[in-house]
Amino acid sequence: MAQGFNTRAIHAGQATDPTTGAVVPPIYLSSTFEQQVAGEPLAGFEYSRCDNPTRTALQQNLASLEGGVLAYSFASGMAAEDAFFRAVLQPGDHIVLGNDAYGGAYRAIEQVYGPWGVTNTCIDFTDLSHVEEVISSTKPRVVRIETPTNPLMTIVDIEGVSAIAHQHGALVLVDNTFATPALQRPFELGADVVLHSTTKYLGGHSDVVGGAIVVTDAELAEKIAQIQNWMGAISSPFDAYMTMRGIKTLGVRMERHSSNAQALAEAIEGHKAVERVLYPGLPSHPGHEVATRQMSLFGGMMSVQLAGGEKAATALTTRTSVFTLAPSLGGVESLIEHPGLMTHHSVEGTALEVPANLVRLSVGIEDIDDLIPDLVQALDSLL
Ligand SMILES: *Cc1c(COP(=O)(O)O)cnc(C)c1O
């Protein structure tokens, strides 16, 4: 029988070191590896841009967690995404992505690949008949899904969109950064490629930047391996080690992130200073039903729209003490930020612009009895 998720998180790719018996795979800080005979590396390793044992350990672990076959780890989530797109795109290709996709992904697709002749359409993935219309008429090479989205927490039906995309010959990439494989397995729902910013929940402690691409198809894997190997936007051995260290506790952290976020969302929904709480675990969320189907828990991310507009939103970000005002997400500590002025500033004036009264919360794993009063007193101060 296949091992459970938490067992794989701790053991997949993490063999005991054969020479010393070290239980934790060592950090191999070697750029090069000795050969006994020219052209015959001892253990398959030659040069660390191409391959490094610590990176291999992380990649095997990631592939196992997503239920993929091969994983490739990179210096950041954007480096991973860039490697995938350069591996599969040609001038004249088209990409369909969500109209609230991660701003950095949109910026790359529009400003880097655009001038190379790659076009794009940003759509609302929650309307499947519209999805069918756009995909059948634009014939994209790639359909890029993110769910839940950053920062609007939109839920996309991975199975529904993948089925449509496949009818029209497109590859489906799912950015699984928010849910993580602990809560959502895109390959089981039809995805071809899974993307992670491992900077977020997989690393989990806000102390390492990284990214990964996971695939099931050998031919696609080979193309991504080539970009990784030839271009070298790789994760360093130390970063790979840090990420593996984080992943061992992913399952328990996601349970606690989810229960804290659920309790917090319920506590502030209906507060006078709040216009709307965007959390897929709330029955009021338009994607609640789809989320219940494709996620085992609803995760630690939520956004809040303030009744008092942008002024109230920016004020709120400075009035909490347990929540720290900072970009990024997915660490053990709670963070608060204003997407319009911070993480999503780059999409201002585009179809992806986010509401000015929006505040994003990355709910950490502190005690819920400290988190709720901290946010409620900050909201009270706005009235
Ligand atoms: C942060 C993030 C990225 C980009 O990852 P980096 O590690 O910052 O390059 C991509 N997608 C989502 C959903 C993210 O939150």
Side-chain angles (χ1 to χ4, degrees):
M1 205 181 82
Q3 290 182 326
F5 183 83
N6 292 296
T7 308
R8 286 180 284 131
I10 293 164
H11 295 290
Q14 313 293 299
T16 301
D17 181 46
T19 51
T20 63
V23 168
V24 175
I27 305 170
Y28 287 93
L29 290 175
S30 195
S31 59
T32 185
F33 298 84
E34 185 185 9
Q35 305 190 3
Q36 236 45 3
V37 177
E40 287 178 31
L42 275 176
F45 297 99
E46 288 178 71
Y47 179 60
S48 279
R49 166 158 48 71
C50 312
D51 229 339
N52 173 281
T54 318
R55 193 167 87 231
T56 299
L58 169 61
Q59 293 180 161
Q60 288 176 350
N61 185 269
L62 288 166
S64 170
L65 294 190
E66 282 292 356
V69 173
L70 287 155
Y72 299 93
S73 82
F74 292 87
S76 71
M78 284 312 303
E81 186 152 3
D82 181 53
F84 164 72
F85 278 126
R86 281 194 288 157
V88 302
L89 291 178
Q90 294 193 348
D93 281 345
H94 192 73
I95 301 171
V96 169
L97 70 160
N99 59 8
D100 60 348
Y102 177 69
Y106 174 71
R107 180 170 56 189
I109 289 167
E110 180 71 16
Q111 297 189 39
V112 179
Y113 313 138
W116 294 350
V118 172
T119 53
N120 72 79
T121 312
C122 298
I123 65 167
D124 174 3
F125 275 123
T126 63
D127 177 353
L128 289 185
S129 60
H130 181 58
V131 171
E132 165 82 49
E133 231 171 77
V134 172
I135 292 180
S136 63
S137 63
T138 62
K139 295 269 182 280
R141 172 80 176 119
V142 176
V143 173
R144 184 197 187 280
I145 300 174
E146 194 177 308
T147 181
T149 60
N150 180 3
L152 291 175
M153 302 303 297
T154 304
I155 299 295
V156 178
D157 176 351
I158 298 173
E159 201 165 16
V161 174
S162 298
I164 296 168
H166 289 155
Q167 270 167 24
H168 299 282
L171 279 172
V172 176
L173 174 141
V174 174
D175 183 337
N176 204 24
T177 298
F178 269 33
T180 83
L183 309 186
Q184 173 173 278
R185 267 16 99 59
F187 288 128
E188 293 169 12
L189 301 164
D192 301 297
V193 183
V194 172
L195 165 72
H196 278 287
S197 168
T198 57
T199 312
K200 316 295 169 53
Y201 287 106
L202 297 185
H205 297 74
S206 305
D207 53 8
V208 58
V209 174
I213 287 284
V214 191
V215 292
T216 53
D217 179 74
E219 206 177 309
L220 186 56
E222 183 53 32
K223 287 186 189 164
I224 294 161
Q226 285 176 340
I227 298 283
Q228 186 196 45
N229 176 336
W230 297 348
M231 311 310 255
I234 49 172
S235 41
S236 74
F238 186 72
D239 289 354
Y241 159 78
M242 292 290 279
T243 307
M244 284 190 281
R245 190 176 206 271
I247 287 173
K248 290 179 207 284
T249 56
L250 180 65
V252 287
R253 282 189 287 109
M254 291 315 289
E255 283 174 21
R256 175 66 169 251
H257 280 297
S258 300
S259 64
N260 275 358
Q262 184 75 39
L264 190 69
E266 287 169 9
I268 63 168
E269 191 177 41
H271 189 286
K272 277 198 178 59
V274 170
E275 180 184 288
R276 199 150 70 113
V277 179
L278 304 169
Y279 184 67
L282 293 175
S284 62
H285 190 284
H288 180 65
E289 215 177 294
V290 175
T292 304
R293 216 165 53 225
Q294 69 187 16
M295 303 173 79
S296 56
L297 293 167
F298 302 105
M301 295 304 299
M302 81 175 67
S303 288
V304 181
Q305 288 185 270
L306 281 305
E310 177 167 10
K311 221 168 125 244
T314 53
L316 183 74
T317 61
T318 61
R319 294 191 188 166
T320 53
S321 58
V322 184
F323 283 85
T324 301
L325 173 55
S328 199
L329 60 106
V332 290
E333 66 287 296
S334 292
L335 301 177
I336 186 168
E337 69 118 3
H338 187 276
L341 294 172
M342 297 167 64
T343 50
H344 291 67
H345 195 61
S346 73
V347 291
E348 194 181 347
T350 73
L352 281 76
E353 185 168 315
V354 295
N357 70 342
L358 189 81
V359 167
R360 189 186 72 186
L361 301 171
S362 174
V363 181
I365 63 170
E366 299 96 337
D367 291 297
I368 190 64
D369 292 341
D370 292 320
L371 295 177
I372 292 177
D374 186 44
L375 192 62
V376 168
Q377 65 75 30
L379 288 168
D380 288 346
S381 80
L382 301 174
L383 297 173

